Amino acid sequence: MASSDPAKRAVSASTTAHVVSEGVAPGTDHAEAHEQARIGLSRAECLEARLAHDARFDGHFFTGVLSTGIYCRPICPARAPLERNVRYFQSAANAEQFGLRPCLRCRPELAPGLQQVLPEVLTRALRAIDSGMLAEQSLAQLARALGVTERTLRRQFEQHLGAAPMQIEQTRRLLLAKRLLADTRLPITEIAYAAGFTSIRRFNDAWQHAYGMAPRTQRAASSHPSLPELKEETTLTLRLAYRPPYDVHAMLAFYRLRAIPGLERAGADFYERRHRVQGSEGWIRVEPGLGHSLNVTLSGVALRALPDILHRVRRMWDLDADLGQISAHLTRDPLLASLAAHSPGVRLPAGWSDYEVLLRAIVGQQVSVKGAITIMGRLVARTEAQFGEAALPTPAQLCALDLDGIGMPGSRIRTLQGVAAAMVSGALVLEGDCDEALLALPGIGPWTIAYWRLRTGRDTDAFPASDLVLQKALGAGQKLPVPEMETRSHPWHPWRAYAASWLWHAMSVAPELLGIESGPRPKRPKRAPTAATPDNPETTS
């Protein structure tokens, strides 16, 4: 691992450069074997993937070319290096820690991330880093927020990721800056602050140390002459990559059905929403891009909020999932194999924020998707009327919001405002381990928590076993009891959330695959809302 001491790291980099020039991997075979084990692929599999330029492995590993001192994506169009001159790395941070610099042709900063099954505290730490938390807080503060010691956090990073937390943070900053240098006309000073550096001097020093050139030299080498000039209001368009298969139209259909009036819009080939992040208000637009990517246009964005917004979009659109690995596990089940064959590329759509997903889950109890979205739109409208903001109410605003006649039973209103009050008081912190705190609130039960964990993207194994639609999906149209649901889903661990997503999707587009006739459904008599079962999950919102 690279030392945090700049002088020591300079010596390390010098030594690495010498060894790179000789074409021999520094360190021992033991260290390389550990790195290969973390990748989860053999050298032969990595070789096959890079020679085939297989996009399914993009971001799964990086190829370090020891004879040139660069690292590449498996899809790099450059001439393939000899295998004896290659070492494989789990992440860009591992490659840069080794002293390599990113390729200018395949641009590793554009590779999709990699969703991994890791200890929960490590998953939460990576989410915090990816959203830019370490640009504002220290590692000690992050560890305290996660409820562990700084030493424990460092040890888990080294054990599971092979890199220190600050190395991963530094690589995140540099690669985001590299993307902005190449793909926008933002001034270099603004790029430095957007990436998370506290001063232009620190940015220049870090860039020179990592890449051996000045940022403006990098821009001259990699920027495109046809980039649009910046307008007065900052508008950026960036590409976010994914590994195929990816059913972008299924994702758009999901968000189109669930778009909150006054806050979101979605069509056959786009999704838009207004946002408020870190005091920044603006809008984003997501649409299919060239190749295996989405185009994301951001307007009115405070640049310091850019890492957080990009993290939210990647999580919301499930861009970092390794569907090959997930499918290999789930398709051992013949039923799920038939669903994957019919609709390859179905992902796990998530929400904009943990708080918004929780509001959706509570409002969605006992009502249809359409009914829940109508009520969510009313929340936006009432927030605008009472507070002058066309947005979902903040927890403090929700405590004071007039919800009479909004279309929900009193018990559910009390649940909504009870959650808001707990967040305002600090008794409920959604970013932490909050399942017990949520269960202690009236109107919150196992389904709400499982659904919330699933739609926040924080738990790939979340499975709302009491969900009525899932019960009918696995019961061939009949309601399968919860104990049988748990037994049936157990072999799908740790990807049960994806199995749920596939089942919900099949129920909407191909119920015959589940043994359910797809003719017109008989009309059900209307019934008045009841407070008897506040966590009744008869919804897929």
Side-chain angles (χ1 to χ4, degrees):
M1 109 172 220
S3 171
S4 58
D5 184 336
K8 291 181 181 178
R9 185 171 176 193
V11 173
S12 175
S14 172
T15 303
T16 300
H18 170 72
V19 179
V20 163
S21 70
E22 297 295 319
V24 180
T28 64
D29 290 339
H30 182 69
E32 186 171 356
H34 269 295
E35 184 75 33
Q36 204 70 48
R38 283 193 296 266
I39 293 172
L41 298 169
S42 67
R43 282 190 66 98
E45 289 170 322
C46 290
L47 172 62
E48 183 180 358
R50 72 177 177 87
L51 291 181
H53 305 287
D54 195 331
R56 294 174 301 169
F57 294 90
D58 190 14
H60 194 107
F61 68 89
F62 293 87
T63 303
V65 186
L66 306 182
S67 55
T68 61
I70 67 169
Y71 69 96
C72 302
R73 299 158 70 180
I75 62 170
C76 186
R79 180 179 177 181
L82 297 175
E83 182 69 1
R84 68 171 178 266
N85 293 333
V86 161
R87 177 166 175 169
Y88 298 105
F89 295 92
Q90 177 189 19
S91 69
N94 296 122
E96 295 205 2
Q97 183 172 264
F98 196 75
L100 305 178
R101 63 186 187 278
C103 174
L104 293 179
R105 291 195 66 182
C106 65
R107 300 185 58 193
E109 71 273 13
L110 297 182
L114 182 62
Q115 182 186 64
Q116 302 175 75
V117 179
L118 297 167
E120 184 169 349
V121 68
L122 198 54
T123 299
R124 287 164 51 201
L126 287 172
R127 286 179 62 177
I129 290 173
D130 195 41
S131 63
M133 181 176 176
L134 284 184
E136 304 291 340
Q137 299 184 31
S138 67
L139 184 62
Q141 288 174 307
L142 172 59
R144 280 197 297 272
L146 296 171
V148 298
T149 65
E150 186 176 344
R151 181 180 179 182
T152 297
L153 191 59
R154 290 179 186 274
R155 186 171 62 247
Q156 290 214 8
F157 268 82
E158 290 292 346
Q159 178 184 347
H160 294 281
L161 303 173
M166 293 311 298
Q167 175 65 44
I168 290 175
E169 165 63 9
Q170 184 79 330
T171 302
R172 179 200 69 77
R173 294 179 189 180
L174 289 171
L175 291 184
L176 176 56
K178 186 173 181 293
R179 169 183 292 196
L180 296 176
L181 280 169
D183 293 345
T184 77
R185 292 191 182 277
L186 285 171
I188 290 178
T189 300
E190 292 187 15
I191 287 174
Y193 287 112
F197 290 94
T198 55
S199 72
I200 189 65
R201 182 184 64 81
R202 288 180 182 272
F203 172 57
N204 285 332
D205 288 348
W207 193 277
Q208 183 73 39
H209 182 70
Y211 302 146
M213 65 176 76
R216 65 182 68 256
T217 306
Q218 177 82 56
R219 166 165 271 179
S222 59
S223 63
H224 197 282
S226 63
L227 289 174
E229 294 292 340
L230 288 177
K231 302 173 184 176
E232 270 190 38
E233 181 186 55
T234 302
T235 300
L236 305 174
T237 298
L238 300 172
R239 287 180 290 158
L240 298 184
Y242 55 77
R243 274 173 294 274
Y246 186 94
D247 192 339
V248 66
H249 296 293
M251 295 292 278
L252 285 165
F254 178 90
Y255 292 120
R256 191 161 59 245
L257 184 61
R258 292 161 179 81
I260 300 173
L263 187 64
E264 300 172 293
R265 288 195 317 129
D269 59 357
F270 76 92
Y271 165 84
E272 290 181 345
R273 74 167 289 140
R274 293 194 303 201
H275 67 76
R276 180 177 54 196
V277 176
Q278 298 182 16
S280 165
E281 295 188 23
W283 58 266
I284 66 167
R285 180 183 176 94
V286 180
E287 51 200 336
L290 294 175
H292 306 301
S293 69
L294 300 179
N295 285 339
V296 181
T297 302
L298 308 101
S299 182
V301 175
L303 291 177
R304 293 293 285 187
L306 186 59
D308 192 0
I309 292 172
L310 293 178
H311 167 73
R312 289 171 188 253
V313 174
R314 295 201 67 87
R315 180 183 67 174
M316 186 174 175
W317 290 79
D318 197 24
L319 298 181
D320 296 333
D322 184 355
L323 209 56
Q325 178 188 12
I326 296 167
S327 295
H329 182 78
L330 293 181
T331 53
R332 297 171 188 169
D333 185 303
L335 175 63
L336 296 182
S338 69
L339 304 188
H342 181 273
S343 302
V346 172
R347 297 294 179 108
L348 182 62
W352 178 250
S353 70
D354 293 357
Y355 173 62
E356 181 177 307
V357 173
L358 186 55
L359 294 187
R360 286 179 182 262
I362 294 170
V363 169
Q365 294 173 4
Q366 291 186 295
V367 296
S368 66
V369 172
K370 184 177 180 181
I373 296 309
T374 298
I375 294 172
M376 294 294 288
R378 291 172 185 167
L379 278 175
V380 172
R382 293 201 180 191
T383 302
E384 183 175 22
Q386 195 165 331
F387 298 102
E389 296 179 88
L392 287 171
T394 65
Q397 290 171 340
L398 184 53
C399 289
L401 198 62
D402 178 11
L403 298 180
D404 286 346
I406 200 167
M408 289 190 296
S411 60
R412 200 151 310 131
I413 291 174
R414 288 191 291 274
T415 298
L416 270 182
Q417 294 187 319
V419 164
M423 291 181 68
V424 170
S425 70
L428 176 62
V429 180
L430 297 182
E431 290 75 18
D433 184 5
C434 60
D435 288 9
E436 289 186 9
L438 280 168
L439 277 172
L441 296 171
I444 302 288
W447 176 85
T448 300
I449 291 177
Y451 185 80
W452 174 71
R453 291 180 68 87
L454 181 151
R455 287 287 181 230
T456 56
R458 65 166 56 198
D459 187 357
T460 62
D461 201 43
F463 188 77
S466 60
D467 184 274
L468 182 62
V469 177
L470 292 180
Q471 287 176 302
K472 290 187 174 181
L474 289 178
Q478 303 299 312
K479 186 178 177 181
L480 199 67
V482 170
E484 293 184 40
M485 293 284 290
E486 294 286 2
T487 301
R488 182 76 172 81
S489 66
H490 182 74
W492 304 337
H493 172 83
W495 305 110
R496 296 192 304 166
Y498 283 87
S501 186
W502 292 5
L503 290 165
W504 277 323
H505 182 74
M507 284 290 279
S508 65
V509 302
E512 64 276 6
L513 295 174
L514 303 168
I516 301 171
E517 293 185 8
S518 57
R521 299 177 183 176
K523 289 186 177 180
R524 292 166 52 182
K526 290 185 178 180
R527 61 179 183 180
T530 173
T533 52
D535 196 51
N536 186 356
E538 297 189 17
T539 177
T540 58
S541 64

